[in-house]
Amino acid sequence: MKRFVAVAAIAGAILMVGGPAQAHPLGNFTINTYDGLRVSPRMLIVDHVIDMAEIPTFQQRSAIDTNHDGAISGAESTAYAAAGCASVARDLAVTADGRALTLTVEQSQVSFPPGAGGLPTMRVTCSLEGILSSSRHRLSFADPTFSDHIGWHEITAIGDRTTLAHASVPSHSISARLTRYPQDLLRSPLDVRSADLSVVPGGAPAPADGSPEAGRQARGVDALTRAFTTLVASHRASIPFAVVAVGIAIVLGAMHALAPGHGKTVMAAYVVGRRGSFRQAAIIAWTVTLTHTAGVVLIGITLTLSRALAPERIYPWLGFASGLLLIGIGVSMVRARLRARTHATHDHDHDSEPVGTRGLLAIGFVGGLVPSPSALVVLLGAIALGRLWFGIVLIAAYGAGMGATLAGAGLLLVKARARLERAQARGWAHRTATLIPILAACVVLLLGIATAARGIAQI
């Protein structure tokens, strides 16, 4: 039974591959749009909604806070919404029977629903109108806004005392105007940016637009993150407050380390596949932590200084680079295991050669190359409150929690592998012990291929 537990522990650690949970349902980087088209006999009404996640909202803050006093007033919000909706009205491409249709802004509004890490999200709503020359026509609509950002893009269309004889888009919003995103579509969000309609006169009046803001979808923030957000947003810096906040950051870092991720996978595969020691596992764990922390701080400070940086474009490249490096490590591990099996003796004396400190640092660098978006949100939340130094302290504490947890996982893996190696020369436990190293090497190789492919698909 104990041997079974040891095998399960190693296999489970190696095969835990995935990504961390994020605060906004579609991710902290996304900018999502919705266009609701309502066609009446002489008018086209466009209900345009923009839902920005925490990080693009943070980048827009300097454009909204025009007097740079650190606070967004009602007048600044109104001016930003009016200017933003006017820009949208110019950018939307609408034609009626082949002729361009001009849209005007009738209403504009902006709100800031709370997000993660003390950062708000942003919701902009624009009511746009265009005058139609008749009640029978063909309409063509295209929304090119934010085409360089990832996110959810949805269009619906209904007739109001007219009938849509043909519509290339549905009449009902499955996201409730970007307030309740369907869980089964979060990994492959809608990307509808154009619509074609054929309109004939006559039909029932359209139902009143119920755009409930109170029923917004809850952001997926766990209890510890909510507690951290409350602490940072509502307390002045003090020693007791700092101790509590740092403690929460350590726990959050530990939880992130326990979540599926290739940093832990690479370390586990090395420990098992190369007969690594606890010291080597600790070097990898803390290199993962330092690389991750440095990446979070660098991107966070860059986002603070520049609105031009689109982090959702950086992450795919980091993922692609990480995948290529993982492929290199995986190939090296597979070749080493094949050589070891070719020259193996019964006492396993001819195992693969040990990896030097530089190799261990390279493995750790790969594991921490892609920073956690949730840690980035924590840092930006502290920066938004004017506490850059405190944000860096919290990220360092977050990294310490990661490092300690990964090192502890490495210790468990070393002990589990040692238990398997003490297995009798016969039996399933011994056979499993001889297969796990090559399996670990193959997992790293396959993980690198999958990571690089995912990065390419997102670039």
Side-chain angles (χ1 to χ4, degrees):
M1 182 65 183
K2 291 182 178 179
R3 292 173 182 172
F4 174 78
V5 173
V7 174
I10 292 180
I14 293 175
L15 296 176
M16 286 174 67
V17 180
Q22 298 164 317
H24 188 285
L26 286 163
N28 305 116
F29 303 135
T30 57
I31 299 180
N32 312 285
T33 61
Y34 165 75
D35 294 285
L37 311 181
R38 179 188 295 250
V39 187
S40 64
R42 295 288 180 176
M43 185 175 295
L44 170 67
I45 300 175
V46 180
D47 172 28
H48 182 83
V49 182
I50 305 170
D51 176 28
M52 285 194 185
E54 291 88 350
I55 291 178
T57 300
F58 178 87
Q59 291 183 284
Q60 288 294 314
R61 186 179 182 88
S62 60
I64 305 173
D65 182 19
T66 53
N67 61 6
H68 307 294
D69 65 350
I72 297 177
S73 65
E76 288 172 332
S77 296
T78 300
Y80 177 82
C85 289
S87 176
V88 168
R90 292 190 298 269
D91 292 340
L92 296 180
V94 188
T95 61
D97 300 320
R99 296 183 179 181
L101 186 66
T102 301
L103 298 176
T104 59
V105 180
E106 296 302 313
Q107 289 183 343
S108 59
Q109 184 178 6
V110 64
S111 59
F112 299 94
L119 291 175
T121 58
M122 181 165 63
R123 182 177 176 86
V124 180
T125 56
C126 309
S127 180
L128 313 174
E129 294 183 357
I131 304 300
L132 300 174
S133 58
S134 68
S135 58
R136 182 188 298 272
H137 34 249
R138 297 186 64 85
L139 291 176
S140 178
F141 177 89
D143 183 352
T145 60
F146 303 109
S147 58
D148 56 341
H149 289 75
I150 58 174
W152 180 286
H153 303 285
E154 182 181 9
I155 301 176
T156 63
I158 57 174
D160 182 10
R161 290 164 288 129
T162 63
T163 299
L164 301 185
H166 166 76
S168 62
V169 293
S171 60
H172 174 71
S173 171
I174 61 174
S175 70
R177 300 175 68 247
L178 309 184
T179 61
R180 291 188 297 274
Y181 296 97
Q183 292 294 318
D184 58 339
L185 294 178
L186 294 183
R187 291 190 176 275
S188 51
L190 286 186
D191 189 21
V192 180
R193 297 179 181 269
S194 62
D196 293 304
L197 311 176
S198 179
V199 185
V200 296
D209 179 21
S211 11
E213 295 292 329
R216 292 189 57 79
Q217 182 175 7
R219 303 305 192 191
V221 189
D222 55 61
L224 279 173
T225 303
R226 286 196 299 270
F228 168 79
T229 301
T230 303
L231 280 171
V232 173
S234 61
H235 289 71
R236 294 182 179 180
S238 64
I239 293 178
F241 158 68
V243 170
V244 173
V246 167
I248 292 177
I250 291 173
V251 174
L252 287 173
M255 292 177 64
H256 174 70
L258 291 173
H262 62 250
K264 182 164 59 276
T265 305
V266 174
M267 183 187 70
Y270 171 79
V271 170
V272 176
R274 302 298 288 267
R275 302 187 67 194
S277 65
F278 171 66
R279 173 182 170 275
Q280 293 173 326
I283 291 176
I284 296 173
W286 287 105
T287 305
V288 169
T289 299
L290 292 175
T291 304
H292 176 272
T293 302
V296 170
V297 173
L298 179 61
I299 294 179
I301 293 177
T302 304
L303 287 174
T304 304
L305 300 177
S306 173
R307 290 172 52 199
L309 176 66
E312 71 273 20
R313 297 303 176 191
I314 295 177
Y315 271 67
W317 283 105
L318 291 176
F320 177 62
S322 177
L324 291 181
L325 293 173
L326 280 173
I327 291 173
I329 293 173
V331 169
S332 174
M333 292 179 67
V334 169
R335 291 177 61 187
R337 293 313 309 167
L338 292 177
R339 287 199 305 269
R341 290 177 67 86
T342 300
H343 300 92
T345 61
H346 293 293
D347 57 3
H348 296 198
D349 283 339
H350 295 279
D351 211 336
S352 55
E353 66 277 6
V355 175
T357 301
R358 289 184 179 180
L360 296 174
L361 294 176
I363 294 172
F365 175 79
V366 172
L369 185 59
V370 182
S372 163
S374 58
L376 181 58
V377 168
V378 168
L379 177 62
L380 294 180
I383 293 174
L385 295 171
R387 299 173 182 171
L388 173 60
W389 65 271
F390 189 53
I392 294 177
V393 169
L394 290 177
I395 294 305
Y398 187 98
M402 280 183 58
T405 303
L406 289 173
L411 177 60
L412 291 177
L413 285 164
V414 170
K415 290 184 175 296
R417 193 205 65 231
R419 181 177 292 272
L420 280 176
E421 289 179 344
R422 290 196 298 268
Q424 296 178 356
R426 295 183 179 181
W428 67 269
H430 174 73
R431 290 193 297 270
T432 302
T434 61
L435 290 176
I436 282 182
I438 187 65
L439 174 63
C442 291
V443 166
V444 173
L445 179 59
L446 293 175
L447 176 63
I449 295 172
T451 302
R454 184 167 60 246
I456 291 177
Q458 294 175 346
I459 292 174

